[in-house]
Amino acid sequence: MLQRRIPLVIVFITGVLMSIQYFIPHPVSQSAYNIALTWFRGVASMAYAIAVISFVRHHSRRLKQPQNSFYSAVALAAFLFMCIVGFGFGIGEGTIFAKMYLNVQVPLQATTFSLLAFYMASAAYRAFRVKGLEATLLLITAFIVMFGVTTIGNYIPFIPKLTEWLMAVPNLASKRGILIGVGLGMISTSLKIILGIERNWLGG
Amino acid sequence: MRDFLIKLSKIERRYIYLALFLALTLPLIFPPNFPQKMSPTVKSVFEFIDTLPPGSHVLLSADYDASVLPEVDPMYRAVLKHCILRGVIPIGMTLYPQGAVLALDAFKEAEEYLGARRDTDYVFLGYQAGFQAVILGIGENIKNVFPKDYFGTPIDSIPAMRGVNNYKDIALVISFSGSSVPVTWVIYAYSKYHQKVAAAVTAVSAADFYPYIQTGQFVGMLAGMKGAAEYEYAVRKIMKDEGIEKLPPAKAVKGMDANSIGHLLIMLFIIIGNLGYFAAKRRK
Amino acid sequence: MHISTDPWVWVAAILTLAIFTFLYKDNPLFKFAEHLFVGVATGYGLVIIYFNAFKPNLYQPLFVEHNLLYIIPFFFGILYFSAAIPKFSYMMRWPIALLLGIGSGLSIPLSFQTYIVEHTKSTILRFPYPNAALFINALILFIGVLTVLIYFYFSYPHKGAIGTISRIGIIFIMIGFGASFGYTVMARFSLLVGRIQFLLGQWLGIHTVM
């Protein structure tokens, strides 16, 4: 009862109320709407607790495994250090907190994602093959767009216009077809969640 | 020849990595300075801000993190400077916790190069949790969502925020993002409050966002490093025209030169790979 | 060329190189950098959310201004901490249910307006057109959207006329994917260019790169 029914009741009541208020421009519905937004921001601001609990639990467990203990100790120490400098000395410009973010987190994250460039080049070399009409169309479009998005494309008179047309007509048509499907899917999923038909979010 | 092509198509990945590294590095050291031409979607955003009366407010939402930094960060910095140069008041905020310090750094740069003053020439509100509730909340009253700015100053006591209550007082919202957040702005700010929205996005999402430009849900769009370079180039031109001697780094403009050579290399890779594939197929 | 003397720039440069070592193979230096990132990022998120979100949204109104209306979101928020106690961890679903309910309820009418109404309206052919080029573009758009939608309609077998129409749909989809690929190359390269600019410019002081 507590485990499944209460969350389903909460989701149903709040979901129905919020859907209905859109169509009823009455002061009562308006104030309910404003309260809901305030509550939403309040509850959302504490959601990060789940991430912190999961992080601490995961790495504390790994401290007992000899092969992982050093790395998990690094993660936990870094977390604690950020909390100490952030809560203790502030988060404004020029603080250790801001410097740690700009000079430790930013380069680490940005470089990790930059590795994708190498993998993409390698994949394009090995896997991008002209097999059949579909692949050929994909390749031709990709080549034109690649020329168009580079500054070199500006030297070739028709490339910028052709790229813009490809993006704004056939590409747009394809993306819009997908987008309308996604929209319908989102609306039906939202309805299924409110009505309790979709329950995957409750987990096991 | 056929053997050579087959061998070439099976080259070790480390050589591919090296070729790519050189293709992106050499143009940075020896810049070819390719020409910049503003694309129509960038032009729409640029002209919108350029023609705003001084004292108007533009909300710049830094909805990005370090994983998309080289593309989106130069856009944020360029648009921010454009606003300051035209006397438009940029209101900085973010729906991503990571965007807070990144955007703060951009405002610091505007202080350094343009002498922009906090609370008079710009406002920085910082981060707020709950995407939908934040966007919808600003439509009701911005002070309910951000009672204080990032530095703890009450909104009511910030001169640049005088008269700003909700979207009716904000000329344009620009969402700088590497994900679908600009669409969230369309759903909750444009559809509900008819707020004008523009997108400044990574190249990955750019192709998906074209439908929103045609419907008018986006005023315009800055797409990828190319969009950033075009805007950066235009803002630097305004700065030069106004006689400002010390110019900020042209990261996107220079980066786009390297990017262009990189694109030629990848096209070459695809051609060599396919020649090798067909050579091997013929042999069979 | 003058190499940076700022210790923070050196920290950033060494960490950048540590991540690049993964291109050779997984190694202890990369693992160290990876775990450092996870720790710093989690701590950063907690501090920013505390100061920017929790404090103004709940702490200030409830504990300083004593506005009792905020007891309810605070109660729901506290339930997140049940995640730490396995016996009561199911209570974590209650605040999730609240956010999901409000979020879904708010999104239904607005998503319908955003995704369906606006995009259908902008696809339908509306005569007259000022010139032939605009008409042709509108027609291609109309045919493209319709055929792509039919391609994704799986409740009917793709044979005969439907098969032919969905085949046209594939052509549009492939052009769309090609366009996305063309743009994606720029996105990925930009990330690497950004790191090279940092290493050559801010760290090694080669002024031409920025």
Side-chain angles (χ1 to χ4, degrees):
Chain A
M1 154 80 186
L2 287 173
Q3 297 201 13
R4 299 184 82 85
R5 200 160 293 171
I6 289 189
L8 287 176
V9 169
I10 295 171
V11 101
F12 178 77
I13 293 172
T14 50
V16 169
L17 281 177
M18 283 303 105
S19 308
I20 290 174
Q21 66 76 32
Y22 181 80
F23 302 100
I24 309 169
H26 187 270
V28 176
S29 100
Q30 186 61 30
S31 63
Y33 168 69
N34 279 324
I35 289 171
L37 293 184
T38 311
W39 287 9
F40 191 104
R41 286 195 299 272
V43 178
S45 69
M46 290 178 80
Y48 198 71
I50 297 180
V52 174
I53 290 167
S54 150
F55 167 83
V56 172
R57 188 192 281 166
H58 175 74
H59 285 286
S60 308
R61 226 179 270 151
R62 277 170 40 121
L63 280 179
K64 290 166 200 150
Q65 302 164 353
Q67 73 274 28
N68 293 320
S69 59
F70 171 71
Y71 300 116
S72 284
V74 168
L76 286 169
F79 168 71
L80 275 178
F81 183 75
M82 284 303 275
C83 291
I84 291 166
V85 295
F87 289 122
F89 305 99
I91 59 171
E93 54 208 54
T95 55
I96 300 176
F97 178 81
K99 282 189 170 152
M100 278 292 287
Y101 175 74
L102 291 171
N103 298 292
V104 176
Q105 189 175 334
V106 168
L108 285 172
Q109 191 175 4
T111 314
T112 306
F113 279 85
S114 78
L115 295 178
L116 288 170
F118 292 105
Y119 301 140
M120 179 157 197
S122 177
Y125 195 76
R126 285 156 201 282
F128 211 148
R129 301 283 181 259
V130 183
K131 293 179 189 169
L133 173 72
E134 285 90 349
T136 311
L137 268 174
L138 198 151
L139 193 75
I140 293 170
T141 315
F143 262 66
I144 296 169
V145 172
M146 272 194 270
F147 256 121
V149 296
T150 60
T151 28
I152 296 171
N154 291 339
Y155 285 116
I156 310 163
F158 66 93
I159 284 286
K161 283 222 159 124
L162 180 60
T163 309
E164 201 49 45
W165 180 82
L166 270 174
M167 298 309 293
V169 182
N171 163 67
L172 192 152
S174 120
K175 296 291 152 60
R176 180 166 287 162
I178 295 170
L179 192 141
I180 291 174
V182 169
L184 289 170
M186 272 175 64
I187 294 161
S188 65
T189 307
S190 294
L191 269 172
K192 276 155 83 179
I193 288 173
I194 292 171
L195 299 174
I197 300 164
E198 165 64 56
R199 297 180 181 192
N200 279 337
W201 63 274
L202 286 167
Chain B
M1 182 66 182
R2 190 178 293 171
D3 287 339
F4 173 71
L5 282 173
I6 295 170
K7 223 180 225 177
L8 201 63
S9 70
K10 287 178 180 160
I11 199 170
E12 223 194 303
R13 67 187 168 108
R14 269 172 236 171
Y15 293 111
I16 297 173
Y17 293 173
L18 182 68
L20 178 64
F21 182 77
L22 290 175
L24 296 181
T25 306
L26 292 176
L28 288 173
I29 300 172
F30 310 105
N33 297 320
F34 292 130
Q36 294 290 334
K37 196 179 158 205
M38 203 178 260
S39 40
T41 60
V42 177
K43 208 173 182 180
S44 313
V45 181
F46 184 85
E47 283 177 354
F48 190 98
I49 293 178
D50 217 47
T51 50
L52 280 176
S56 311
H57 291 81
V58 171
L59 191 70
L60 306 180
S61 191
D63 308 326
Y64 62 97
D65 59 24
S67 64
V68 295
L69 197 72
E71 287 186 278
V72 186
D73 201 51
M75 296 179 190
Y76 198 86
R77 287 168 194 264
V79 175
L80 170 57
K81 287 193 201 87
H82 188 202
C83 291
I84 304 272
L85 285 163
R86 290 290 177 248
V88 171
I89 299 170
I91 304 172
M93 63 158 281
T94 167
L95 297 171
Y96 272 33
Q98 285 211 34
V101 175
L102 292 177
L104 183 64
D105 203 51
F107 279 96
K108 194 95 186 88
E109 193 183 84
E111 278 185 9
E112 189 188 333
Y113 288 94
L114 299 173
R117 291 156 302 163
R118 168 152 62 100
D119 298 347
T120 314
D121 301 321
Y122 75 84
V123 185
F124 186 61
L125 301 175
Y127 166 74
Q128 188 52 264
F131 283 37
Q132 295 159 293
V134 174
I135 300 172
L136 289 170
I138 295 172
E140 298 300 312
N141 192 340
I142 196 166
K143 284 159 202 156
N144 292 343
V145 185
F146 292 100
K148 290 175 181 173
D149 74 353
Y150 183 78
F151 310 94
T153 314
I155 294 294
D156 289 328
S157 61
I158 297 175
M161 284 300 280
R162 218 166 282 148
V164 180
N165 294 311
N166 52 36
Y167 290 126
K168 281 182 192 141
D169 312 306
I170 295 168
L172 179 69
V173 170
I174 309 182
S175 175
F176 298 77
S177 168
S179 65
S180 61
V181 182
V183 178
T184 312
W185 280 99
V186 169
I187 298 175
Y188 299 104
Y190 173 85
S191 295
K192 180 143 173 106
Y193 298 100
H194 311 292
Q195 169 62 39
K196 285 194 165 65
V197 179
V201 294
T202 51
V204 169
S205 352
D208 297 342
F209 287 163
Y210 267 81
Y212 298 93
I213 299 173
Q214 192 242 5
T215 53
Q217 288 165 307
F218 283 151
V219 167
M221 174 171 73
L222 277 67
M225 193 175 254
K226 186 173 192 265
E230 289 167 3
Y231 213 105
E232 193 179 82
Y233 184 81
V235 171
R236 285 169 68 87
K237 193 174 174 297
I238 298 176
M239 289 175 79
K240 275 183 207 162
D241 291 347
E242 297 208 349
I244 298 168
E245 281 174 15
K246 194 180 158 202
L247 295 176
K251 278 190 183 176
V253 172
K254 298 271 173 96
M256 211 42 223
D257 282 350
N259 227 318
S260 300
I261 302 292
H263 275 70
L264 291 184
L265 182 77
I266 204 129
M267 286 190 251
L268 190 70
F269 277 173
I270 294 171
I271 292 168
I272 294 172
N274 274 289
L275 287 176
Y277 165 73
F278 283 113
K281 211 173 156 187
R282 271 216 174 149
R283 178 181 274 176
K284 277 178 198 166
Chain C
M1 177 174 158
H2 47 93
I3 298 172
S4 172
T5 50
D6 183 346
W8 283 108
V9 172
W10 274 81
V11 168
I14 291 165
L15 292 174
T16 301
L17 294 174
I19 295 288
F20 277 139
T21 61
F22 187 76
L23 286 170
Y24 182 68
K25 63 176 185 181
D26 198 2
N27 63 79
L29 192 61
F30 173 78
K31 267 195 182 143
F32 168 82
E34 189 189 18
H35 284 78
L36 181 68
F37 165 60
V38 173
V40 171
T42 314
Y44 170 86
L46 180 66
V47 174
I48 288 282
I49 287 172
Y50 173 80
F51 282 115
N52 278 205
F54 175 74
K55 228 176 140 182
N57 288 350
L58 285 177
Y59 182 82
Q60 183 79 17
L62 185 60
F63 297 107
V64 178
E65 293 158 17
H66 304 292
N67 186 341
L68 296 181
L69 196 69
Y70 287 82
I71 284 181
I72 294 168
F74 184 70
F75 164 74
F76 273 98
I78 285 288
L79 293 178
Y80 279 124
F81 290 90
S82 66
I85 315 156
K87 203 181 161 191
F88 297 105
S89 64
Y90 66 88
M91 285 188 177
M92 184 178 73
R93 292 170 185 160
W94 299 6
I96 295 174
L98 186 83
L99 296 188
L100 208 55
I102 296 176
S104 301
L106 288 172
S107 95
I108 291 171
L110 293 171
S111 292
F112 188 76
Q113 175 71 21
T114 305
Y115 289 108
I116 315 297
V117 177
E118 295 273 354
H119 288 273
T120 310
K121 225 165 62 184
S122 302
T123 306
I124 291 168
L125 294 170
R126 270 184 280 185
F127 295 94
Y129 285 90
N131 57 52
L134 283 177
F135 169 67
I136 291 167
N137 283 345
L139 190 66
I140 295 172
L141 181 65
F142 179 75
I143 293 169
V145 174
L146 203 69
T147 53
V148 169
L149 276 172
I150 289 172
Y151 173 76
F152 282 113
Y153 184 67
F154 294 118
S155 307
Y156 194 85
H158 287 190
K159 286 178 194 163
I162 298 288
T164 313
I165 293 169
S166 71
R167 187 103 187 103
I168 299 170
I170 296 176
I171 291 173
F172 277 96
I173 291 169
M174 285 302 144
I175 295 175
F177 285 166
S180 292
F181 178 83
Y183 262 105
T184 304
V185 173
M186 177 161 68
R188 300 297 175 238
F189 283 4
S190 302
L191 301 178
L192 184 55
V193 167
R195 294 327 294 156
I196 299 172
Q197 279 181 320
F198 165 74
L199 287 174
L200 297 182
Q202 275 165 272
W203 185 42
L204 297 178
I206 300 171
H207 67 91
T208 56
V209 306
M210 294 205 290

